[in-house]
Amino acid sequence: MRKGIYLLAVMVLLSGCTGQAPKQAESSLPVQSSVQEEKDIGKMVKETFENLWRSHTIFIDAEMTVEENEGTKTVYHYVTAADKQKKLAMLKMEPSDGTKVHYILRDGTLHEIDEQGNDNPSEYSGTVENFIRAYTSDLNLGVNDAMTLTETGTADWNGKTALEFAKYRVSSSEKISITYYFDNDKPYAQVMQSERGKTTFLFREITDTVKDTSIFAVKEDNT
């Protein structure tokens, strides 16, 4: 379970208060801000993610950058997906050092796939929803009742101009803010800033369709 411990450490780091992002001071994020934009960006953020979590299938592909205040920085290829009706889910995090984390949940069995592709199955008593929630809610991939909208507007960020953003404050014992960026009404990035650091998701794809079902396959499958 070395990998499980590794994943737990990453998740604690993220949920405990790592934020996201290419190096940008949080104070430089908003160039213009207002809580009364003509377009309701806060509603757009909420509906985008809430509709995704309500759907039967979920797919998120992103570049995740974790930066700690001590100066460490790790970039991951992050993919998570689920098909609730078929009781399938998966999570893969591949950092630049090659020590990947890869889980596939099928019919109550959690398959931990190591770097050599070996399968280490174990019983999983939770549901697909439990699995997805465990590996996304702490990352605040989407809004929830503990988040309060504080600013909306447009900003030049990460080489993009006039990105629409919505910034939230997260209710917790530590100071956490999350900024969602949209490019042409599509989710572009999420930046979580805390007292410990920053985590950035640059979204490659967010959809309620899983195009390649082979991501749920394990060795004994013929699919």
Side-chain angles (χ1 to χ4, degrees):
M1 291 302 290
R2 178 180 61 82
K3 210 181 295 181
I5 295 171
Y6 171 79
L7 175 61
L8 178 62
V10 171
M11 300 307 292
V12 168
L13 172 64
L14 293 170
S15 65
C17 290
T18 316
Q20 323 166 256
K23 291 187 177 178
Q24 296 268 347
E26 186 181 351
S27 59
S28 69
L29 293 178
V31 237
Q32 307 172 31
S33 65
S34 170
V35 292
Q36 298 294 329
E37 291 290 311
E38 288 185 11
K39 181 183 291 185
D40 192 338
I41 303 172
K43 182 179 180 182
M44 185 165 63
V45 173
K46 188 173 182 179
E47 289 183 347
T48 295
F49 288 96
E50 285 194 350
N51 288 341
L52 179 65
W53 303 134
R54 280 197 297 263
S55 68
H56 293 301
T57 53
I58 295 168
F59 182 82
I60 299 175
D61 185 337
E63 178 184 283
M64 181 177 77
T65 302
V66 177
E67 297 178 85
E68 296 180 74
N69 291 338
E70 291 77 12
T72 60
K73 176 179 177 180
T74 308
V75 179
Y76 301 82
H77 181 196
Y78 173 95
V79 179
T80 190
D83 186 325
K84 298 174 186 176
Q85 290 181 321
K86 295 181 179 180
K87 298 181 180 180
L88 300 171
M90 63 81 66
L91 169 76
K92 183 184 284 188
M93 292 171 60
E94 296 183 275
S96 52
D97 67 4
T99 313
K100 70 178 179 181
V101 173
H102 188 188
Y103 289 105
I104 298 173
L105 177 63
R106 295 182 63 91
D107 300 318
T109 299
L110 185 63
H111 301 265
E112 182 181 1
I113 314 299
D114 66 20
E115 284 84 355
Q116 289 73 42
N118 299 314
D119 184 2
N120 301 287
S122 60
E123 184 179 351
Y124 184 81
S125 59
T127 64
V128 170
E129 287 85 352
N130 294 145
F131 178 88
I132 289 294
R133 187 177 301 116
Y135 297 119
T136 58
S137 63
D138 284 344
L139 301 176
N140 291 285
L141 281 169
V143 296
N144 56 55
D145 292 339
M147 296 171 63
T148 302
L149 180 64
T150 58
E151 289 183 286
T152 62
T154 59
D156 296 341
W157 183 81
N158 198 40
K160 293 273 189 174
T161 59
L163 291 174
E164 296 164 321
F165 76 87
K167 184 175 180 180
Y168 292 80
R169 181 181 66 252
V170 180
S171 301
S172 76
S173 59
E174 299 189 58
K175 295 179 181 178
I176 306 175
S177 68
I178 298 178
T179 304
Y180 297 91
Y181 290 95
F182 279 70
D183 187 9
N184 294 320
D185 295 344
K186 294 181 179 179
Y188 173 69
Q190 175 191 320
V191 179
M192 182 163 68
Q193 174 73 56
S194 77
E195 294 175 333
R196 298 186 190 180
K198 186 180 291 186
T199 303
T200 303
F201 285 87
L202 290 177
F203 297 120
R204 296 170 175 170
E205 187 174 7
I206 292 184
T207 179
D208 60 1
T209 301
V210 179
K211 299 172 185 175
D212 180 9
T213 57
S214 68
I215 62 175
F216 299 124
V218 291
K219 280 188 174 181
E220 65 265 32
D221 292 324
N222 296 316
T223 56

